[in-house]
Amino acid sequence: MSATSGVPARPDLPDDAPARVRLLQAAALTSTFDRFALAPLLIEIGRDLGVSLAAVAAVASGYYLAYGLMQPLWGLLSDRLGRVRVMRIALAGTALAAVVSVVAPTLAVLAVSRVVAGAMVAALIPTTLVYVGDTWPVAVRQRPLSDLLAASSLGTAAATVGAGVVAELVGWRAVFGLTGVAAAVLWVALRRLPEPERAPPGALLAPLGLVARSGWAWVVLGLAFVEGAVALGTLTFLAPAVQGLGWSPGVAGLVAAAYGIAALLTSRLVRRLVGRVSPVVLAAVGGGVLAVAWVPPAVSVGVATILASGLLLGVAWAFLHTTLQTWATEVVPRARAAAVSLFAAVLFLGSSVGTALAAPLADAGDYPTLFGVALTAAVPDAVAAFLAGARYARAHRRR
């Protein structure tokens, strides 16, 4: 979190900054759509291929595992190969994996193609964040990061609602085809994106060492882990909670999509507040709303309370997550790619842990306890984000 109190009158931005942001947004949207589109298709895939839901769920687990584990590797490669080149390599791999997914005759083939897709698409969002960190001054950096969050949120909402609709109308294979076409188009379009200047790379693992020696980096990574568990991990169970009340998957998807819609809209507000409001305040607002988000369903599980929880969660994500992302881009400037990729990896590791810990409660239908535990974990995370951000700002203001 920068200690800068205001935005310079004429920040040192590239002349084509809006065009660059649009391309980065398209990459972020494609990544998020591919990641969130798989869950609504699990039942349809199982029926078509004649396998159990548990078997198809294992495909999703492999995708998410590959997505998380590949983040640091892509960060290191972007230091050596360049940010734009890495994104184009990943997009080419995503397009090829999508083609295989569309024609996959068996679950085994589909599993391999989805794991490859997860490994490829994992490069896009962290590399776009690093690109912003390389190109935009820290005083205004959270604005393009908010734009990326808006694109990611749109991808989340579109995948949550649209994947199921496309699967019903055309078939589940068409969903992967959409991602493949988008990746191919972007592979061509990113030729227009200039490569940012960066320092000559040193030893391959040296950036990881720099991050490991930074105390503040450990703080950011710790906050990201808890955020992933409390926010993304528990988010997984919003739709199942609605279905547990007897509603259809379509209604459950619409209710769960409230998160993406709220994050999309709130990101516009956050963008306007950057430079006018301290990052510490933005983090405090986001952390506070994250805690409050779990109060309604912890008290009473119903469609209205789950809808309210999804909306509040989207607001919290827009405030807190973009602030932590900004912090990750500046906490170790000499190893920005490594720091941001580790941030993303830890975030999704936290999501996996949160999902695994909450699964037994969801299986038992004990959603009030599940959301109550999320509330209990969110409160100290909110306090820690505020206190750590304030201390970081004071320390860097004295420099």
Side-chain angles (χ1 to χ4, degrees):
M1 296 180 189
S2 173
T4 305
S5 58
V7 178
R10 296 181 62 84
D12 185 17
L13 294 177
D15 294 336
D16 60 343
R20 296 192 192 192
V21 169
R22 285 192 293 271
L23 287 172
L24 296 175
Q25 283 182 300
L29 189 152
T30 301
S31 174
T32 309
F33 183 90
D34 192 71
R35 176 158 47 91
F36 280 90
L38 186 55
L41 304 178
L42 297 182
I43 293 177
E44 292 297 322
I45 292 173
R47 288 173 178 170
D48 185 43
L49 297 181
V51 297
S52 68
L53 178 60
V56 186
V59 174
S61 297
Y63 178 100
Y64 299 139
L65 182 63
Y67 187 95
L69 293 179
M70 283 296 293
Q71 307 275 344
L73 177 59
W74 283 120
L76 296 174
L77 288 176
S78 74
D79 278 338
R80 293 188 166 272
L81 302 179
R83 317 304 187 202
V84 178
R85 182 176 296 177
V86 157
M87 284 190 282
R88 296 191 73 220
I89 291 172
L91 286 165
T94 300
L96 291 175
V99 171
V100 177
S101 296
V102 169
V103 301
T106 65
L107 185 66
V109 175
L110 180 66
V112 172
S113 68
R114 285 294 87 200
V115 168
V116 172
M120 293 293 106
V121 81
L124 298 180
I125 288 184
T127 308
T128 61
L129 299 178
V130 176
Y131 189 102
V132 169
D134 290 342
T135 310
W136 273 260
V138 67
V140 294
R141 189 175 297 160
Q142 196 163 350
R143 290 178 180 172
L145 291 179
S146 295
D147 291 334
L148 293 182
L149 174 64
S152 296
S153 301
L154 180 60
T156 301
T160 305
V161 178
V165 173
V166 172
E168 285 189 28
L169 297 178
V170 185
W172 60 267
R173 297 176 187 273
V175 177
F176 299 132
L178 290 175
T179 302
V181 170
V185 171
L186 268 175
W187 178 81
V188 175
L190 284 186
R191 291 186 301 179
R192 303 196 305 269
L193 186 64
E195 190 72 62
E197 295 182 5
R198 65 187 193 283
L204 179 63
L205 300 180
L208 295 179
L210 290 174
V211 176
R213 290 192 293 272
S214 169
W216 284 115
W218 283 100
V219 171
V220 176
L221 295 178
L223 291 172
F225 179 88
V226 178
E227 183 193 32
V230 173
L232 295 182
T234 313
L235 171 67
T236 305
F237 299 101
L238 290 184
V242 175
Q243 289 181 267
L245 296 171
W247 293 92
S248 69
V251 173
L254 287 172
V255 173
Y259 155 77
I261 295 170
L264 172 64
L265 297 177
T266 308
S267 66
R268 302 295 83 198
L269 172 61
V270 172
R271 192 181 193 282
R272 292 179 177 274
L273 293 176
V274 172
R276 303 176 183 178
V277 177
S278 166
V280 178
V281 174
L282 296 177
V285 171
V289 176
L290 177 60
V292 173
W294 302 122
V295 172
V299 173
S300 175
V301 177
V303 172
T305 58
I306 295 173
L307 178 64
S309 182
L311 291 171
L312 290 170
L313 184 60
V315 174
W317 189 257
F319 275 93
L320 179 60
H321 188 66
T322 57
T323 306
L324 292 179
Q325 278 184 337
T326 303
W327 197 357
T329 64
E330 64 178 272
V331 69
V332 190
R334 292 171 55 201
R336 181 175 289 120
V340 171
S341 59
L342 284 172
F343 175 87
V346 168
L347 179 75
F348 289 104
L349 176 61
S351 173
S352 299
V353 171
T355 301
L357 293 177
L361 293 172
D363 285 338
D366 191 2
Y367 289 104
T369 300
L370 189 158
F371 295 124
V373 171
L375 169 61
T376 303
V379 172
D381 187 53
V383 173
F386 172 74
L387 295 178
R391 184 174 178 182
Y392 180 85
R394 287 195 303 269
H396 286 70
R397 190 179 294 121
R398 290 195 295 266
R399 294 183 178 180

Short mmCIF file of all heavy atoms in Angstrom, two decimals, residues 276-338:
data_model
loop_
_atom_site.label_atom_id
_atom_site.label_comp_id
_atom_site.label_asym_id
_atom_site.label_seq_id
_atom_site.Cartn_x
_atom_site.Cartn_y
_atom_site.Cartn_z
N ARG A 276 -8.03 9.55 -3.72
CA ARG A 276 -8.83 10.41 -2.86
C ARG A 276 -8.96 9.83 -1.45
O ARG A 276 -9.14 10.56 -0.48
CB ARG A 276 -10.22 10.62 -3.45
CG ARG A 276 -10.23 11.20 -4.86
CD ARG A 276 -11.65 11.29 -5.41
NE ARG A 276 -11.67 11.78 -6.78
CZ ARG A 276 -12.76 11.91 -7.51
NH1 ARG A 276 -13.95 11.60 -6.98
NH2 ARG A 276 -12.70 12.37 -8.74
N VAL A 277 -8.90 8.51 -1.39
CA VAL A 277 -9.04 7.80 -0.12
C VAL A 277 -7.80 6.94 0.09
O VAL A 277 -7.31 6.30 -0.85
CB VAL A 277 -10.31 6.92 -0.11
CG1 VAL A 277 -10.42 6.14 1.19
CG2 VAL A 277 -11.55 7.77 -0.32
N SER A 278 -7.30 6.92 1.30
CA SER A 278 -6.11 6.12 1.62
C SER A 278 -6.35 4.64 1.35
O SER A 278 -7.44 4.12 1.61
CB SER A 278 -5.75 6.32 3.10
OG SER A 278 -4.83 5.33 3.52
N PRO A 279 -5.33 3.94 0.84
CA PRO A 279 -5.47 2.49 0.66
C PRO A 279 -5.80 1.77 1.96
O PRO A 279 -6.47 0.74 1.94
CB PRO A 279 -4.09 2.07 0.14
CG PRO A 279 -3.53 3.29 -0.51
CD PRO A 279 -4.05 4.44 0.30
N VAL A 280 -5.33 2.32 3.07
CA VAL A 280 -5.64 1.71 4.37
C VAL A 280 -7.15 1.75 4.62
O VAL A 280 -7.74 0.78 5.11
CB VAL A 280 -4.89 2.43 5.50
CG1 VAL A 280 -5.24 1.83 6.85
CG2 VAL A 280 -3.38 2.36 5.27
N VAL A 281 -7.77 2.86 4.27
CA VAL A 281 -9.22 2.99 4.45
C VAL A 281 -9.95 2.03 3.51
O VAL A 281 -10.94 1.38 3.89
CB VAL A 281 -9.67 4.44 4.22
CG1 VAL A 281 -11.19 4.55 4.25
CG2 VAL A 281 -9.05 5.36 5.26
N LEU A 282 -9.49 1.92 2.27
CA LEU A 282 -10.11 1.00 1.32
C LEU A 282 -10.05 -0.43 1.83
O LEU A 282 -11.04 -1.19 1.74
CB LEU A 282 -9.42 1.10 -0.04
CG LEU A 282 -9.53 2.43 -0.78
CD1 LEU A 282 -8.74 2.38 -2.09
CD2 LEU A 282 -10.98 2.80 -1.06
N ALA A 283 -8.89 -0.81 2.39
CA ALA A 283 -8.75 -2.16 2.95
C ALA A 283 -9.65 -2.35 4.15
O ALA A 283 -10.25 -3.43 4.33
CB ALA A 283 -7.29 -2.41 3.33
N ALA A 284 -9.77 -1.32 4.98
CA ALA A 284 -10.62 -1.43 6.16
C ALA A 284 -12.08 -1.60 5.77
O ALA A 284 -12.81 -2.43 6.35
CB ALA A 284 -10.45 -0.18 7.04
N VAL A 285 -12.52 -0.84 4.76
CA VAL A 285 -13.90 -0.98 4.29
C VAL A 285 -14.14 -2.39 3.74
O VAL A 285 -15.13 -3.05 4.07
CB VAL A 285 -14.22 0.08 3.22
CG1 VAL A 285 -15.58 -0.19 2.58
CG2 VAL A 285 -14.20 1.48 3.83
N GLY A 286 -13.20 -2.84 2.90
CA GLY A 286 -13.35 -4.17 2.32
C GLY A 286 -13.35 -5.27 3.37
O GLY A 286 -14.17 -6.19 3.30
N GLY A 287 -12.45 -5.18 4.33
CA GLY A 287 -12.40 -6.20 5.37
C GLY A 287 -13.65 -6.19 6.23
O GLY A 287 -14.17 -7.25 6.60
N GLY A 288 -14.13 -4.99 6.54
CA GLY A 288 -15.36 -4.90 7.34
C GLY A 288 -16.56 -5.50 6.63
O GLY A 288 -17.35 -6.24 7.22
N VAL A 289 -16.69 -5.19 5.34
CA VAL A 289 -17.81 -5.73 4.57
C VAL A 289 -17.67 -7.24 4.41
O VAL A 289 -18.68 -7.98 4.42
CB VAL A 289 -17.90 -5.04 3.19
CG1 VAL A 289 -19.02 -5.67 2.35
CG2 VAL A 289 -18.16 -3.54 3.35
N LEU A 290 -16.44 -7.74 4.29
CA LEU A 290 -16.22 -9.18 4.18
C LEU A 290 -16.75 -9.90 5.42
O LEU A 290 -17.37 -10.96 5.31
CB LEU A 290 -14.73 -9.48 3.99
CG LEU A 290 -14.34 -10.96 3.93
CD1 LEU A 290 -15.03 -11.66 2.77
CD2 LEU A 290 -12.82 -11.10 3.83
N ALA A 291 -16.50 -9.32 6.58
CA ALA A 291 -17.01 -9.93 7.81
C ALA A 291 -18.54 -9.87 7.85
O ALA A 291 -19.22 -10.86 8.16
CB ALA A 291 -16.41 -9.22 9.02
N VAL A 292 -19.09 -8.70 7.52
CA VAL A 292 -20.55 -8.53 7.56
C VAL A 292 -21.24 -9.44 6.54
O VAL A 292 -22.38 -9.87 6.74
CB VAL A 292 -20.91 -7.05 7.30
CG1 VAL A 292 -22.42 -6.86 7.17
CG2 VAL A 292 -20.37 -6.17 8.43
N ALA A 293 -20.54 -9.75 5.44
CA ALA A 293 -21.15 -10.55 4.37
C ALA A 293 -21.67 -11.89 4.86
O ALA A 293 -22.65 -12.42 4.32
CB ALA A 293 -20.14 -10.76 3.24
N TRP A 294 -21.02 -12.45 5.87
CA TRP A 294 -21.41 -13.79 6.31
C TRP A 294 -22.43 -13.76 7.45
O TRP A 294 -22.86 -14.82 7.91
CB TRP A 294 -20.18 -14.57 6.73
CG TRP A 294 -19.18 -14.70 5.63
CD1 TRP A 294 -17.88 -14.29 5.64
CD2 TRP A 294 -19.39 -15.27 4.34
NE1 TRP A 294 -17.28 -14.56 4.44
CE2 TRP A 294 -18.18 -15.15 3.61
CE3 TRP A 294 -20.49 -15.85 3.70
CZ2 TRP A 294 -18.05 -15.60 2.31
CZ3 TRP A 294 -20.35 -16.31 2.40
CH2 TRP A 294 -19.14 -16.18 1.71
N VAL A 295 -22.80 -12.57 7.90
CA VAL A 295 -23.78 -12.48 9.00
C VAL A 295 -25.16 -12.98 8.58
O VAL A 295 -25.77 -13.81 9.29
CB VAL A 295 -23.85 -11.05 9.55
CG1 VAL A 295 -25.01 -10.92 10.54
CG2 VAL A 295 -22.54 -10.66 10.22
N PRO A 296 -25.75 -12.52 7.44
CA PRO A 296 -27.12 -12.95 7.10
C PRO A 296 -27.30 -14.46 7.02
O PRO A 296 -28.19 -15.01 7.68
CB PRO A 296 -27.37 -12.26 5.75
CG PRO A 296 -26.48 -11.06 5.77
CD PRO A 296 -25.25 -11.51 6.48
N PRO A 297 -26.45 -15.20 6.23
CA PRO A 297 -26.68 -16.65 6.16
C PRO A 297 -26.27 -17.38 7.43
O PRO A 297 -26.73 -18.51 7.66
CB PRO A 297 -25.82 -17.09 4.97
CG PRO A 297 -24.73 -16.09 4.90
CD PRO A 297 -25.35 -14.79 5.33
N ALA A 298 -25.39 -16.78 8.25
CA ALA A 298 -25.05 -17.42 9.52
C ALA A 298 -26.22 -17.38 10.49
O ALA A 298 -26.40 -18.27 11.31
CB ALA A 298 -23.83 -16.74 10.14
N VAL A 299 -27.05 -16.34 10.35
CA VAL A 299 -28.23 -16.21 11.21
C VAL A 299 -29.37 -17.07 10.68
O VAL A 299 -30.04 -17.79 11.43
CB VAL A 299 -28.66 -14.72 11.30
CG1 VAL A 299 -29.99 -14.60 12.05
CG2 VAL A 299 -27.58 -13.90 11.98
N SER A 300 -29.60 -17.00 9.35
CA SER A 300 -30.70 -17.75 8.75
C SER A 300 -30.39 -18.00 7.28
O SER A 300 -30.13 -17.05 6.53
CB SER A 300 -32.03 -16.98 8.89
OG SER A 300 -33.07 -17.64 8.21
N VAL A 301 -30.38 -19.27 6.88
CA VAL A 301 -30.07 -19.62 5.49
C VAL A 301 -31.36 -19.57 4.66
O VAL A 301 -32.30 -20.34 4.89
CB VAL A 301 -29.44 -21.02 5.40
CG1 VAL A 301 -29.19 -21.39 3.93
CG2 VAL A 301 -28.13 -21.05 6.17
N GLY A 302 -31.40 -18.65 3.71
CA GLY A 302 -32.53 -18.51 2.81
C GLY A 302 -32.05 -17.86 1.53
O GLY A 302 -30.91 -17.37 1.45
N VAL A 303 -32.89 -17.84 0.52
CA VAL A 303 -32.49 -17.25 -0.76
C VAL A 303 -32.13 -15.78 -0.56
O VAL A 303 -31.12 -15.30 -1.11
CB VAL A 303 -33.62 -17.39 -1.79
CG1 VAL A 303 -33.29 -16.60 -3.06
CG2 VAL A 303 -33.85 -18.85 -2.15
N ALA A 304 -32.91 -15.05 0.22
CA ALA A 304 -32.65 -13.62 0.42
C ALA A 304 -31.34 -13.40 1.15
O ALA A 304 -30.55 -12.51 0.78
CB ALA A 304 -33.80 -12.99 1.20
N THR A 305 -31.06 -14.19 2.18
CA THR A 305 -29.83 -13.99 2.95
C THR A 305 -28.60 -14.41 2.15
O THR A 305 -27.54 -13.78 2.25
CB THR A 305 -29.89 -14.77 4.27
OG1 THR A 305 -30.09 -16.16 4.01
CG2 THR A 305 -30.99 -14.26 5.16
N ILE A 306 -28.73 -15.46 1.35
CA ILE A 306 -27.59 -15.88 0.52
C ILE A 306 -27.34 -14.87 -0.59
O ILE A 306 -26.19 -14.56 -0.93
CB ILE A 306 -27.85 -17.28 -0.07
CG1 ILE A 306 -27.91 -18.31 1.07
CG2 ILE A 306 -26.76 -17.67 -1.07
CD1 ILE A 306 -28.33 -19.68 0.63
N LEU A 307 -28.41 -14.32 -1.15
CA LEU A 307 -28.27 -13.27 -2.15
C LEU A 307 -27.58 -12.05 -1.54
O LEU A 307 -26.65 -11.48 -2.15
CB LEU A 307 -29.64 -12.87 -2.68
CG LEU A 307 -29.67 -11.72 -3.71
CD1 LEU A 307 -28.93 -12.11 -4.97
CD2 LEU A 307 -31.12 -11.33 -4.03
N ALA A 308 -27.99 -11.66 -0.33
CA ALA A 308 -27.36 -10.53 0.35
C ALA A 308 -25.89 -10.82 0.61
O ALA A 308 -25.02 -9.95 0.44
CB ALA A 308 -28.08 -10.23 1.66
N SER A 309 -25.59 -12.05 0.99
CA SER A 309 -24.20 -12.43 1.25
C SER A 309 -23.35 -12.32 -0.01
O SER A 309 -22.22 -11.81 0.02
CB SER A 309 -24.15 -13.86 1.80
OG SER A 309 -22.83 -14.25 2.11
N GLY A 310 -23.89 -12.80 -1.14
CA GLY A 310 -23.15 -12.70 -2.40
C GLY A 310 -22.90 -11.27 -2.81
O GLY A 310 -21.80 -10.92 -3.26
N LEU A 311 -23.90 -10.42 -2.65
CA LEU A 311 -23.73 -9.00 -2.99
C LEU A 311 -22.67 -8.35 -2.11
O LEU A 311 -21.79 -7.63 -2.61
CB LEU A 311 -25.06 -8.27 -2.84
CG LEU A 311 -26.16 -8.63 -3.86
CD1 LEU A 311 -27.49 -8.00 -3.45
CD2 LEU A 311 -25.76 -8.18 -5.25
N LEU A 312 -22.74 -8.59 -0.81
CA LEU A 312 -21.76 -8.00 0.11
C LEU A 312 -20.36 -8.55 -0.16
O LEU A 312 -19.37 -7.83 -0.07
CB LEU A 312 -22.17 -8.28 1.55
CG LEU A 312 -23.41 -7.52 2.05
CD1 LEU A 312 -23.84 -8.06 3.41
CD2 LEU A 312 -23.12 -6.02 2.14
N LEU A 313 -20.28 -9.82 -0.50
CA LEU A 313 -18.98 -10.42 -0.79
C LEU A 313 -18.35 -9.76 -2.01
O LEU A 313 -17.13 -9.52 -2.04
CB LEU A 313 -19.15 -11.92 -1.03
CG LEU A 313 -17.87 -12.72 -1.27
CD1 LEU A 313 -16.93 -12.60 -0.07
CD2 LEU A 313 -18.20 -14.19 -1.53
N GLY A 314 -19.16 -9.45 -3.03
CA GLY A 314 -18.64 -8.76 -4.20
C GLY A 314 -18.12 -7.37 -3.86
O GLY A 314 -17.08 -6.94 -4.38
N VAL A 315 -18.84 -6.66 -3.00
CA VAL A 315 -18.39 -5.33 -2.55
C VAL A 315 -17.06 -5.46 -1.80
O VAL A 315 -16.12 -4.69 -2.03
CB VAL A 315 -19.46 -4.68 -1.66
CG1 VAL A 315 -18.92 -3.37 -1.06
CG2 VAL A 315 -20.73 -4.41 -2.45
N ALA A 316 -16.99 -6.41 -0.89
CA ALA A 316 -15.77 -6.61 -0.11
C ALA A 316 -14.59 -6.95 -1.02
O ALA A 316 -13.47 -6.44 -0.83
CB ALA A 316 -15.98 -7.73 0.90
N TRP A 317 -14.84 -7.80 -2.01
CA TRP A 317 -13.77 -8.21 -2.92
C TRP A 317 -13.21 -7.00 -3.68
O TRP A 317 -11.99 -6.86 -3.85
CB TRP A 317 -14.31 -9.25 -3.89
CG TRP A 317 -13.27 -9.91 -4.73
CD1 TRP A 317 -13.00 -9.67 -6.05
CD2 TRP A 317 -12.36 -10.96 -4.33
NE1 TRP A 317 -11.99 -10.48 -6.49
CE2 TRP A 317 -11.58 -11.29 -5.47
CE3 TRP A 317 -12.15 -11.64 -3.14
CZ2 TRP A 317 -10.60 -12.27 -5.43
CZ3 TRP A 317 -11.16 -12.62 -3.11
CH2 TRP A 317 -10.41 -12.93 -4.23
N ALA A 318 -14.09 -6.12 -4.14
CA ALA A 318 -13.65 -4.95 -4.91
C ALA A 318 -12.77 -4.02 -4.06
O ALA A 318 -11.78 -3.47 -4.55
CB ALA A 318 -14.86 -4.19 -5.44
N PHE A 319 -13.13 -3.84 -2.80
CA PHE A 319 -12.36 -2.95 -1.93
C PHE A 319 -11.08 -3.61 -1.42
O PHE A 319 -9.99 -3.04 -1.53
CB PHE A 319 -13.21 -2.51 -0.73
CG PHE A 319 -14.08 -1.32 -1.00
CD1 PHE A 319 -15.39 -1.49 -1.43
CD2 PHE A 319 -13.61 -0.03 -0.82
CE1 PHE A 319 -16.20 -0.39 -1.69
CE2 PHE A 319 -14.41 1.07 -1.07
CZ PHE A 319 -15.72 0.89 -1.50
N LEU A 320 -11.21 -4.80 -0.84
CA LEU A 320 -10.07 -5.42 -0.17
C LEU A 320 -9.10 -6.06 -1.14
O LEU A 320 -7.88 -5.87 -1.03
CB LEU A 320 -10.58 -6.47 0.83
CG LEU A 320 -9.51 -7.24 1.61
CD1 LEU A 320 -8.66 -6.28 2.44
CD2 LEU A 320 -10.14 -8.30 2.50
N HIS A 321 -9.62 -6.81 -2.11
CA HIS A 321 -8.72 -7.57 -2.97
C HIS A 321 -7.87 -6.66 -3.85
O HIS A 321 -6.67 -6.91 -4.03
CB HIS A 321 -9.51 -8.55 -3.84
CG HIS A 321 -8.64 -9.48 -4.61
ND1 HIS A 321 -7.85 -10.43 -4.00
CD2 HIS A 321 -8.41 -9.61 -5.95
CE1 HIS A 321 -7.18 -11.10 -4.92
NE2 HIS A 321 -7.50 -10.61 -6.11
N THR A 322 -8.46 -5.61 -4.43
CA THR A 322 -7.65 -4.73 -5.27
C THR A 322 -6.59 -4.00 -4.44
O THR A 322 -5.50 -3.72 -4.94
CB THR A 322 -8.52 -3.68 -5.99
OG1 THR A 322 -9.27 -2.93 -5.04
CG2 THR A 322 -9.46 -4.35 -6.96
N THR A 323 -6.89 -3.72 -3.18
CA THR A 323 -5.90 -3.08 -2.31
C THR A 323 -4.75 -4.03 -2.03
O THR A 323 -3.58 -3.63 -2.09
CB THR A 323 -6.55 -2.63 -0.99
OG1 THR A 323 -7.69 -1.81 -1.27
CG2 THR A 323 -5.57 -1.84 -0.15
N LEU A 324 -5.07 -5.29 -1.73
CA LEU A 324 -4.00 -6.27 -1.50
C LEU A 324 -3.21 -6.53 -2.78
O LEU A 324 -1.99 -6.70 -2.74
CB LEU A 324 -4.61 -7.58 -0.98
CG LEU A 324 -5.23 -7.54 0.42
CD1 LEU A 324 -5.80 -8.91 0.78
CD2 LEU A 324 -4.20 -7.11 1.45
N GLN A 325 -3.89 -6.54 -3.92
CA GLN A 325 -3.18 -6.71 -5.20
C GLN A 325 -2.19 -5.58 -5.42
O GLN A 325 -1.05 -5.79 -5.85
CB GLN A 325 -4.18 -6.76 -6.35
CG GLN A 325 -4.83 -8.09 -6.58
CD GLN A 325 -5.72 -8.09 -7.80
OE1 GLN A 325 -6.20 -7.04 -8.23
NE2 GLN A 325 -5.98 -9.25 -8.35
N THR A 326 -2.63 -4.34 -5.16
CA THR A 326 -1.75 -3.19 -5.32
C THR A 326 -0.54 -3.33 -4.41
O THR A 326 0.60 -3.05 -4.81
CB THR A 326 -2.50 -1.89 -5.00
OG1 THR A 326 -3.65 -1.80 -5.85
CG2 THR A 326 -1.62 -0.68 -5.24
N TRP A 327 -0.79 -3.74 -3.19
CA TRP A 327 0.30 -3.94 -2.23
C TRP A 327 1.27 -4.99 -2.76
O TRP A 327 2.50 -4.83 -2.67
CB TRP A 327 -0.31 -4.37 -0.90
CG TRP A 327 0.61 -4.24 0.29
CD1 TRP A 327 1.91 -3.85 0.30
CD2 TRP A 327 0.28 -4.51 1.65
NE1 TRP A 327 2.42 -3.85 1.57
CE2 TRP A 327 1.43 -4.27 2.42
CE3 TRP A 327 -0.88 -4.94 2.29
CZ2 TRP A 327 1.46 -4.43 3.81
CZ3 TRP A 327 -0.85 -5.11 3.66
CH2 TRP A 327 0.30 -4.85 4.41
N ALA A 328 0.75 -6.07 -3.34
CA ALA A 328 1.61 -7.14 -3.86
C ALA A 328 2.49 -6.65 -5.00
O ALA A 328 3.62 -7.13 -5.17
CB ALA A 328 0.75 -8.31 -4.33
N THR A 329 2.02 -5.68 -5.80
CA THR A 329 2.82 -5.18 -6.92
C THR A 329 3.96 -4.27 -6.47
O THR A 329 4.88 -4.01 -7.25
CB THR A 329 1.96 -4.40 -7.93
OG1 THR A 329 1.43 -3.22 -7.31
CG2 THR A 329 0.82 -5.26 -8.46
N GLU A 330 3.92 -3.78 -5.23
CA GLU A 330 4.94 -2.83 -4.79
C GLU A 330 5.79 -3.30 -3.63
O GLU A 330 6.81 -2.68 -3.30
CB GLU A 330 4.29 -1.50 -4.41
CG GLU A 330 3.35 -1.57 -3.21
CD GLU A 330 2.76 -0.21 -2.84
OE1 GLU A 330 3.40 0.51 -2.05
OE2 GLU A 330 1.68 0.10 -3.35
N VAL A 331 5.40 -4.41 -2.98
CA VAL A 331 6.08 -4.80 -1.75
C VAL A 331 7.52 -5.25 -2.01
O VAL A 331 8.40 -5.04 -1.18
CB VAL A 331 5.26 -5.89 -1.02
CG1 VAL A 331 5.27 -7.20 -1.77
CG2 VAL A 331 5.74 -6.06 0.40
N VAL A 332 7.78 -5.87 -3.17
CA VAL A 332 9.16 -6.26 -3.55
C VAL A 332 9.35 -5.83 -5.00
O VAL A 332 9.26 -6.67 -5.92
CB VAL A 332 9.40 -7.77 -3.38
CG1 VAL A 332 10.90 -8.07 -3.55
CG2 VAL A 332 8.94 -8.26 -2.03
N PRO A 333 9.61 -4.55 -5.28
CA PRO A 333 9.67 -4.07 -6.66
C PRO A 333 10.68 -4.81 -7.53
O PRO A 333 10.45 -4.98 -8.74
CB PRO A 333 10.07 -2.59 -6.49
CG PRO A 333 9.65 -2.24 -5.10
CD PRO A 333 9.84 -3.48 -4.30
N ARG A 334 11.79 -5.26 -6.95
CA ARG A 334 12.82 -5.95 -7.73
C ARG A 334 12.40 -7.37 -8.11
O ARG A 334 13.06 -8.00 -8.95
CB ARG A 334 14.13 -5.99 -6.95
CG ARG A 334 14.77 -4.62 -6.76
CD ARG A 334 15.93 -4.70 -5.78
NE ARG A 334 16.91 -5.70 -6.20
CZ ARG A 334 17.79 -6.27 -5.38
NH1 ARG A 334 17.79 -5.94 -4.09
NH2 ARG A 334 18.65 -7.15 -5.83
N ALA A 335 11.36 -7.87 -7.49
CA ALA A 335 10.87 -9.23 -7.80
C ALA A 335 9.35 -9.18 -7.93
O ALA A 335 8.65 -10.01 -7.36
CB ALA A 335 11.31 -10.20 -6.72
N ARG A 336 8.87 -8.20 -8.69
CA ARG A 336 7.43 -7.98 -8.77
C ARG A 336 6.69 -9.20 -9.34
O ARG A 336 5.65 -9.61 -8.82
CB ARG A 336 7.14 -6.75 -9.63
CG ARG A 336 5.65 -6.44 -9.75
CD ARG A 336 5.41 -5.14 -10.51
NE ARG A 336 5.81 -3.99 -9.72
CZ ARG A 336 6.73 -3.10 -10.08
NH1 ARG A 336 7.37 -3.25 -11.24
NH2 ARG A 336 7.02 -2.08 -9.32
N ALA A 337 7.22 -9.79 -10.38
CA ALA A 337 6.54 -10.94 -11.00
C ALA A 337 6.44 -12.10 -10.02
O ALA A 337 5.40 -12.76 -9.91
CB ALA A 337 7.26 -11.36 -12.27
N ALA A 338 7.53 -12.35 -9.30
CA ALA A 338 7.51 -13.45 -8.33
C ALA A 338 6.53 -13.16 -7.21
O ALA A 338 5.78 -14.04 -6.77
CB ALA A 338 8.92 -13.67 -7.77
#
